[in-house]
């Protein structure tokens, strides 16, 4: 109102003078003084139908005589209030308590710790079964549930400022159907919210102790964070139940120990379900005839089968609890719960019921505990730790190179030592003599041309060299390849794939330690970055700066998903030193033309679990079409390696074809599915798909791909 008056004054028209005079007369003629008073400011916010982002947060929760009441607010990503929510939107609420659980086995009571128990449950009868019902055991099952605000006319209250109140329809004071749930005011309780709009989804939870109202220093069961999941999963792939459930806390309080899938008969308890899913194709069950596959299966709505026996869990070895149960700074309060030796649930989820012929039941904790363990067993932390101990010890070891030069015949020669955590050399009896060192040059480009020095000739076994027992040093000679004529100034590298031997862990093994190699030991790679140097004359130039290779993949991301092992040569992810762009093709009768590329890019993109847009298990919970899953921020920029030429097999004849740099990058994913229109587009823009040689491609190629296909554009079309 004030701004309007100022505008009127600024205009200074005769009409404004008359208007002001009249208003003065009116005020002086018995007016009550309210005319012209500023109105109440309306709420500042964005309408719920207009917001593209939404976040929910509980601000208060209470329970009185079993009636649960909560307050919450909605905001967009910029912190602006979201207005206009009503019961007809798809908003649902859940309520659960964290209660102590015991289990009685053969008359003895066992403490199973604190577990979430939902107050809202339904009894579900088996519905439609899939055509293949193998391994399914239909039976009625309880399922935890949530309640929809739309089922109550006055439960949801809009405070008209972006804040809302909700009163639960379920009274929790005396729940007897279909399960008896005893309310405990001193137990931690959790309310959950899930709001699904057409354009956005919000989840929220709130934990508190009803007897005191406390939210701090209360009992918790927060074991993992969603960020641990995002190490391997793309965020959007974990939007489940039609995309409406995106928060782990909501999942955990609904997937309770009493919840099951009626069509399969399998438990959907969160702990059991997650471990069973990730055991994937390796899950087995013991029978009188031996171990047989026992894939974890769930039947969804409409009889759709989710067969997790197709899952290839990338963590190798899969015994690394810390891959999900991350401890340390920023860890959830109960990240170490897997060490508590309370529940068998996770054990039988992975190892299945009666996991071997030597076990009579599934009361795992009787023997597998830290305080009263059966000899030769140990608890989960010990047993899983035994599997990993060799990798932990080997990672502290090192490989060092020295005396790099030429022998009398001009062949590369160098010394190598394997050292322990203290830097002392390790004797040969502990080192796998069949393991190798790989030599390469032009590391800043695309490694040696395959025609000049195939990788098989650049690998040198320790057993092929000489060994000085006094100094515990190997001298290796590169007798199967020649140095390039223009070696001076080139960046070389020596990449170790050397492995050290350890005893096998298992029943009766007190400690996993480095052990003299034999048929009864296993060998583990000593992880060491490639040693790089610049060649000068007859040896290295100690003062020269090595040339840097363009940044393509982030090996830490690979390590996060794959842990200690990937395929072979498990010292990091230097695969391209052997799997060069021009490496020979490999026969595969299932591939169009019968020959497929063996370049690192092709093998990585096509690998099961990586290539899920068209191939792989086609799981909805892992979307690996986002380039950023593996690549660095600039790792998908085109046009940076114009000299690179790829070798592929023709998809009709299998004959070698040579492909230009950017086109070959795209073919590493898309060759099998490349249409005539796609091929024409590539060739029209200077790409070569039918080269007869490396020189032919380099002569004709004039790629302009990077003009349109920027990293931003590539990410947008690949799900990123």
């Amino acid at each position: 109102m004030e701004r309007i008056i100022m505008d009127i004054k600024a205009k200074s028209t005769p009409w404004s003078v008359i208007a002001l005079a009249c208003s003065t007369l009116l005020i002086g003629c018995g007016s009550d003084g309210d005319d012209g008073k500023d109105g109440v400011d309306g709420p500042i916010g964005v309408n719920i139908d207009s917001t593209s982002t939404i976040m929910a947060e509980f601000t208060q929760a209470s329970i009185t005589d079993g009636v649960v009441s909560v307050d919450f607010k909605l905001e967009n990503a910029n912190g602006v209030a979201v207005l206009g929510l009503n019961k007809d939107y798809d908003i649902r609420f859940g309520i659960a308590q964290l209660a102590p659980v015991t289990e009685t086995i053969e008359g003895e009571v066992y403490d199973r710790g604190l577990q979430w128990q939902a107050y809202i449950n339904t009894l579900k009868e088996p519905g439609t079964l899939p055509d293949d019902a193998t391994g399914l055991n239909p039976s009625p099952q309880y399922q935890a549930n949530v309640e929809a605000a739309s089922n109550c006319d006055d439960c949801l209250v809009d405070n008209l400022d972006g804040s809302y109140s909700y009163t639960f329809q379920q009274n929790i004071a005396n729940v007897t159907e279909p399960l008896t749930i005893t309310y405990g005011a001193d137990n931690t309780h959790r309310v959950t919210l899930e709001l699904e709009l057409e354009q956005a989804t919000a989840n929220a939870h709130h934990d508190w102790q009803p007897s005191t109202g406390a939210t701090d220093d209360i009992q918790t069961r927060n074991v993992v964070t969603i960020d641990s999941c995002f190490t391997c999963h793309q965020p959007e792939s974990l939007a489940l139940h039609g995309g409406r459930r995106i928060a782990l806390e909501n999942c955990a309080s609904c997937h309770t120990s009493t919840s099951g899938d009626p069509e399969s008969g399998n438990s959907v308890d969160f702990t059991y379900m997650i471990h069973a899913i990730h055991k994937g194709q390796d899950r087995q069950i013991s029978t009188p005839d031996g171990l047989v596959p026992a894939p974890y299966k769930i039947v969804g709505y409409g009889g759709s089968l989710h067969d997790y026996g197709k899952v290839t869990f990338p963590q190798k070895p899969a015994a690394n609890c810390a891959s999900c149960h991350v401890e340390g700074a920023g860890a959830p309060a109960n990240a170490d719960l897997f060490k508590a030796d309370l529940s068998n649930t996770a054990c039988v989820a992975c190892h299945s019921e009666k996991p071997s012929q030597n076990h009579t039941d599934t009361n795992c904790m009787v023997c597998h505990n830290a305080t009263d363990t059966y000899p030769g067993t140990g608890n989960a932390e010990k047993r899983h730790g035994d599997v990993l101990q060799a990798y932990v010890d080997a990672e502290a070891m090192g490989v060092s190179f020295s005396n790099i030069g030429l022998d009398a015949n001009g062949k590369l020669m160098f010394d190598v030592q394997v050292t322990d955590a203290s830097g002392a050399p390790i004797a040969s009896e502990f080192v796998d003599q069949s393991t190798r060192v790989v030599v390469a040059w032009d590391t800043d480009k695309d490694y040696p041309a395959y025609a000049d020095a195939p990788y098989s000739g650049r690998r040198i076994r320790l057993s092929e060299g000489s060994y000085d027992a006094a100094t515990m040093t190997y001298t290796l000679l590169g007798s199967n390849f020649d140095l390039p004529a223009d070696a001076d100034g080139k960046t070389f590298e020596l990449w170790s794939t050397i492995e050290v031997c350890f005893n096998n862990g298992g029943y009766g093994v007190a400690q996993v330690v480095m052990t003299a190699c034999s048929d009864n030991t296993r060998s583990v790679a000593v992880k060491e970055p490639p040693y790089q140097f610049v060649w000068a004359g007859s040896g290295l130039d100690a003062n020269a700066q090595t040339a840097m290779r363009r940044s393509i993949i982030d090996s830490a991301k690979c390590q996060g998903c794959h842990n200690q092992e990937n395929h072979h040569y498990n010292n990091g992810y230097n695969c391209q030193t052997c799997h060069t762009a021009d490496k020979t093709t490999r026969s595969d009768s299932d591939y169009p033309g019968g020959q497929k590329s063996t370049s690192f890019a092709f093998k990585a993109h096509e690998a099961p679990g990586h290539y899920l847009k068209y191939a792989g298990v086609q799981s909805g919970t892992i979307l690996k079409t986002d380039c950023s899953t593996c690549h660095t921020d600039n790792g998908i920029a085109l046009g940076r390696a114009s000299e690179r030429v790829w070798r592929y097999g023709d998809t009709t004849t299998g004959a070698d074809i040579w492909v230009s740099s950017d086109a070959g990058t795209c073919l590493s994913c898309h060759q099998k599915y490349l249409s005539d229109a796609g091929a024409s587009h590539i060739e029209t823009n200077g790409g070569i798909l039918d080269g007869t040689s490396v020189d032919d491609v380099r002569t004709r190629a004039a790629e302009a791909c990077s003009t349109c296909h920027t990293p931003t554009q590539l990410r947008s079309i690949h799900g990123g």
Side-chain angles (χ1 to χ4, degrees), residues 145-483:
N145 214 330
V146 293
E147 61 180 40
S150 59
N151 292 331
C152 176
D153 290 334
D154 54 5
C155 292
L156 182 65
V157 177
D158 181 359
N159 298 320
L160 305 179
D161 60 356
S163 69
Y164 304 85
S165 301
Y166 182 77
T167 302
F168 275 72
Q169 302 159 53
Q170 173 73 56
N171 187 295
I172 67 171
N174 188 29
V175 177
T176 58
E177 294 293 336
L179 284 169
T180 297
I181 312 296
T182 302
Y183 169 62
D186 292 332
N187 293 335
T188 296
H189 279 62
R190 172 175 290 174
V191 286
T192 61
L193 172 156
E194 53 192 61
L195 169 62
E196 185 176 31
L197 306 176
E198 187 174 324
Q199 73 279 20
T201 298
N203 282 187
H205 76 282
H206 177 75
D207 294 353
W208 89 108
Q209 184 183 51
S211 61
T212 63
T215 56
D216 296 323
D217 299 322
I218 60 177
Q219 294 173 323
T220 59
R221 198 179 193 278
N222 298 322
V223 181
V224 298
T225 67
I226 194 71
D227 289 334
S228 296
C229 305
F230 291 159
T231 302
C232 289
H233 295 267
Q234 299 302 111
E236 67 273 22
S237 74
L238 294 182
L240 303 174
H241 292 272
R244 65 176 308 104
R245 291 170 188 165
I246 56 179
L248 282 187
E249 294 80 6
N250 289 36
C251 301
S253 57
C254 204
H255 283 272
T256 60
S257 60
T258 55
S259 294
D261 172 44
E263 286 74 38
S264 67
N266 284 326
S267 170
V268 293
D269 167 74
F270 196 60
T271 299
Y272 185 92
M273 179 180 69
I274 295 301
H275 285 88
I277 287 173
H278 287 83
K279 189 66 173 179
Q281 63 182 1
D282 296 325
R283 195 168 185 268
Q284 296 177 311
I285 191 169
S286 180
T287 72
D289 298 323
L291 291 171
V292 297
Y296 180 67
K297 298 180 179 180
I298 293 295
V299 178
Y301 291 105
S304 59
L305 179 65
H306 301 272
D307 182 356
Y308 296 104
K310 298 178 181 179
V311 171
T312 53
F313 187 52
Q315 285 279 333
K316 302 295 180 187
N320 188 10
C321 304
S323 60
C324 297
H325 298 273
V326 180
E327 301 178 71
N334 310 108
D336 61 348
L337 189 61
F338 70 96
K339 303 175 183 178
D341 302 335
L342 292 175
S343 174
N344 301 312
T345 303
C347 305
V348 297
C350 271
H351 299 289
S352 70
E353 302 295 324
K354 193 171 176 286
S356 81
Q357 299 292 358
N358 297 318
H359 293 71
T360 57
D361 60 36
T362 54
N363 192 12
C364 314
M365 297 299 123
V366 171
C367 295
H368 292 285
N369 60 73
T371 57
D372 186 25
T373 184
Y374 186 80
T377 55
N379 65 346
E381 180 185 14
K382 170 70 166 64
R383 299 298 280 175
H384 287 234
D386 282 351
V387 176
L388 290 161
Q389 190 60 51
Y391 299 91
V392 173
D393 290 350
E395 197 158 10
M397 297 174 182
V399 176
S400 60
F401 297 97
S402 61
N403 296 326
I404 300 170
L406 299 176
D407 76 343
N409 297 315
K411 297 293 186 178
L412 181 69
M413 185 170 61
F414 55 89
D415 292 343
V416 58
Q417 264 190 345
V418 184
T419 55
D420 63 18
S422 68
I426 294 174
S428 61
E429 63 259 34
F430 299 104
V431 181
D432 186 339
Q433 301 299 298
S434 67
T435 53
R436 303 176 168 104
V437 172
V438 181
V439 182
W441 52 90
D442 284 335
T443 58
D444 53 314
K445 299 174 183 176
D446 286 295
Y447 297 92
Y450 192 84
D452 296 335
Y455 80 98
S456 56
R458 295 186 278 109
R459 302 180 300 181
I460 311 169
R461 290 184 187 272
L462 294 180
S463 60
E464 295 171 349
S466 60
Y467 178 68
D468 184 336
T471 61
M472 303 181 195
T473 302
Y474 295 88
T475 298
L476 302 185
L477 181 66
S479 56
N480 295 324
F481 63 89
D482 294 322
L483 293 185

